[in-house]
Amino acid sequence: MKKLILILAPFMGIFLGIGSSGIALADSSARVTATGGGGTSEPGAIVIAWNQELLHILQKPGAQPATVHPTRSFAMLHAAIYDSVVSITRDAPAAVFLQNAPPSAQPDAAAATAGHDTLAALYPKMKAALDQLLAGELSKIPDGAGKQEGIQVGHVITERLLAIRAHDGSAATPPPFVPGNQQGNYRPTPPNFAAPVFTHWAKVTPFVLHTAAQFRPGPPPALTSRAYAQALNEVKSLGQNSSKTRTVDQTVAAKFWAGPIWNTWNEVAEKAALFHRTNLERTARLFAALNLSLADSTIAFYDAKYHYHLWRPITAIREANTVGNPLTIGDPTWTPLAITAPDPSYSGAHSTISAAAATVLSGFFGNQDHVRVTSDVLPGTVRTFASYTDVAKEAGLSRTFAGQHTRLDHESGRVLGHNIAQFVLSHFSVRVPK
């Protein structure tokens, strides 16, 4: 069985695949582009090129509206690309809808147009660069009726999708957060006591789920329980800024995974698709399934966060003497390794997103791969894993090492993300991993 080594560096397309039959080395530029003849330098290159373009946009300060979660953009981009392709090929179910299209239409022209039109609508200030990328891709596709038909399919699909999502609740003004007055209720955290974010996101219409609460986890254990004490004492020990029990490797992991986790998993998917040389249709389906799962997971974990309103470890540890649990001891000066994110604790975002992504990638490629991941947060640092689930486990637990979450947050998020991804995969008729 082949083993895969993926070196994930943002916007760097270098990967090394080692198999039983020898060594294959591929080197691609920072942007994967089409090469013509209705084909591409890599089979799914058009999909990956637009994914990289969105990652590039999200790096620009101020490009993403502060109250609109980036996972929505990824989901809209890839739903448009995928539905444009399958509207022509008719070989798989739609992500959102199918459009009548002539079988002679060029799927790659449709995909490129859908990618352009979606990002141009979401990020109009970037239109010049997006126009240039589209022109380059279309110039490599032979002129003819099929090309023009494909372009038209991409236009129509994107226009309809944008109309469908125009009133999905994402543009609503986030309501102000009102802290509860009971022990265990979330409150803004030091040092900045920032206002909680995405207080409206649980009300956003899901892409595939029926409701945000469809897979809502059960409540966390009582503050007086042994399970709660064990989880709190673990993060108290491992997550403190001056921890003596956190290993050097755990400290690296805590810092390594500090970036936007949905970006990292899209980079994982890019390199997996390149290695496995998935064709246009399969690459489009992979990224649609991945990003619809991540978008709905984000809606769902905000539903859980603002339903349970569980306080963060920094508050819980500092006030542990007030909850009546003899197994917890308060430390009013306890400080986490990383500044606490401004939202409630349960369920953990990293754990939910990572479980969903690992489930999708396992559904497409199988779970076992030898994966090496590099980070733009810690340049030059490499993490090595034996499977996608191993990657997801460390990404989730890294938030305990950073003092952000307890294991209870991690476990609830892990189950939530896995359940959502299974549901999305069944929507795409992809084999659901156990």
Side-chain angles (χ1 to χ4, degrees):
M1 174 185 236
K2 282 190 177 181
K3 288 291 184 181
L4 169 64
I5 295 178
L6 300 179
I7 302 177
L8 306 178
F11 317 116
M12 297 292 292
I14 302 171
F15 66 96
L16 174 65
I18 301 178
S20 58
S21 60
I23 297 177
L25 178 64
D27 186 356
S28 61
S29 64
R31 300 291 175 85
V32 180
T33 57
T35 58
T40 60
S41 57
E42 294 292 341
I46 286 177
V47 180
I48 295 171
W50 288 104
N51 196 67
Q52 290 180 338
E53 185 65 18
L54 177 52
L55 286 166
H56 179 69
I57 289 171
L58 293 175
Q59 283 193 327
K60 296 181 179 295
Q64 181 67 24
T67 61
V68 178
H69 202 278
T71 53
R72 177 180 183 267
S73 297
F74 280 108
M76 292 181 66
L77 169 66
H78 289 294
I81 290 174
Y82 173 75
D83 281 354
S84 294
V85 171
V86 297
S87 287
I88 297 168
T89 64
R90 297 283 169 163
D91 61 351
V96 182
F97 61 87
L98 293 177
Q99 176 72 26
N100 289 331
S104 57
Q106 285 278 59
D108 47 359
T113 303
H116 167 272
D117 288 6
T118 304
L119 294 186
L122 296 176
Y123 305 98
K125 292 182 180 179
M126 308 296 172
K127 188 175 183 301
L130 298 171
D131 289 350
Q132 184 176 9
L133 177 57
L134 177 63
E137 290 182 341
L138 292 180
S139 71
K140 305 300 182 181
I141 302 172
D143 291 333
K147 177 178 179 178
Q148 293 306 314
E149 289 166 349
I151 291 171
Q152 184 61 24
V153 170
H155 285 320
V156 172
I157 288 285
T158 305
E159 184 177 9
R160 284 189 61 190
L161 178 62
L162 290 168
I164 288 171
R165 299 301 301 187
H167 303 289
D168 63 2
S170 61
T173 300
F177 177 76
V178 180
N181 55 13
Q182 302 294 318
Q183 289 301 102
N185 289 163
Y186 171 77
R187 299 189 290 278
T189 55
N192 301 321
F193 299 93
V197 296
F198 294 107
T199 55
H200 64 309
W201 209 251
K203 303 297 185 184
V204 172
T205 303
F207 285 84
V208 182
L209 295 183
H210 302 309
T211 68
Q214 184 173 341
F215 295 106
R216 181 189 289 167
L223 304 186
T224 54
S225 68
R226 179 177 294 274
Y228 172 81
Q230 289 176 339
L232 190 65
N233 288 335
E234 180 184 40
V235 70
K236 180 183 179 183
S237 175
L238 292 177
Q240 188 175 24
N241 59 351
S242 58
S243 173
K244 304 300 183 186
T245 57
R246 184 179 59 243
T247 68
V248 171
D249 188 64
Q250 288 170 337
T251 300
V252 172
K255 297 176 180 179
F256 181 93
W257 293 102
I261 191 66
W262 41 89
N263 289 1
T264 302
W265 279 105
N266 269 280
E267 292 158 7
V268 171
E270 287 178 4
K271 305 310 181 289
L274 286 170
F275 177 81
H276 290 284
R277 294 188 61 80
T278 53
N279 63 19
L280 175 64
E281 293 88 345
R282 188 165 174 81
T283 306
R285 191 191 305 188
L286 166 66
F287 279 88
L290 173 67
N291 285 293
L292 293 177
S293 294
L294 300 192
D296 278 4
S297 291
T298 301
I299 293 169
F301 74 64
Y302 276 118
D303 167 77
K305 284 177 180 291
Y306 289 111
H307 179 76
Y308 292 113
H309 291 276
L310 185 65
W311 57 11
R312 285 280 185 159
I314 187 171
T315 312
I317 293 167
R318 291 184 177 191
E319 299 189 15
N321 289 341
T322 68
V323 302
N325 190 330
L327 299 177
T328 61
I329 299 173
D331 180 352
T333 65
W334 188 89
T335 301
L337 178 64
I339 294 175
T340 300
D343 54 36
S345 199
Y346 185 90
S347 297
H350 269 56
S351 299
T352 308
I353 290 290
S354 296
T359 300
V360 171
L361 286 163
S362 296
F364 276 80
F365 304 120
N367 185 37
Q368 299 299 316
D369 269 333
H370 187 69
V371 186
R372 300 180 68 213
V373 186
T374 62
S375 170
D376 57 348
V377 179
L378 292 179
T381 304
V382 178
R383 308 291 294 176
T384 304
F385 308 90
S387 67
Y388 293 117
T389 54
D390 286 347
V391 180
K393 180 178 179 181
E394 181 180 277
L397 289 179
S398 74
R399 306 305 280 165
T400 295
F401 307 148
Q404 300 288 294
H405 284 291
T406 70
R407 192 175 289 265
L408 299 173
D409 305 329
H410 166 67
E411 287 298 328
S412 66
R414 182 186 63 80
V415 174
L416 176 61
H418 179 68
N419 287 342
I420 291 170
Q422 282 190 317
F423 186 79
V424 173
L425 286 175
S426 66
H427 176 80
F428 282 90
S429 299
V430 174
R431 179 184 60 83
V432 179
K434 297 180 179 178

